[in-house]
Amino acid sequence: MLLLLLGIIVLHVTVLVLLFVSTIVSQWLVNGEHTADLWQNCTSGSVFHCLTSSTNEWLQSVQAMMILSIIFSVL
């Protein structure tokens, strides 16, 4: 029983770490000189230029759910 509880705790900590990494990490999508993530879209031609990616309603809801999931996981 103790081994099962330890396995569940390890699994939950692993999921929490992956949640933090997936929210914070940049470059979810890389396509040549264009990179995109949850927070901004960047192009790296002759000049590195970034725009916020929160113009879509579905992306704003994903951002909100990621932040809420981190808050509720910590609580």
Side-chain angles (χ1 to χ4, degrees):
M1 189 67 162
L2 184 62
L3 187 61
L4 180 65
L5 182 61
L6 183 63
I8 291 172
I9 290 172
V10 168
L11 181 66
H12 279 98
V13 169
T14 304
V15 168
L16 187 61
V17 167
L18 288 174
L19 178 65
F20 276 112
V21 169
S22 66
T23 303
I24 295 170
V25 73
S26 61
Q27 298 181 1
W28 280 10
L29 176 67
V30 178
N31 186 7
E33 296 179 349
H34 181 74
T35 60
D37 63 358
L38 187 61
W39 308 107
Q40 59 187 348
N41 294 328
C42 298
T43 55
S44 61
S46 59
V47 177
F48 192 74
H49 185 65
C50 292
L51 299 172
T52 59
S53 63
S54 62
T55 57
N56 298 330
E57 293 175 2
W58 66 270
L59 189 56
Q60 288 178 348
S61 66
V62 169
Q63 291 171 346
M65 290 299 145
M66 292 291 280
I67 296 299
L68 286 174
S69 65
I70 288 177
I71 291 171
F72 288 133
S73 295
V74 170
L75 293 178

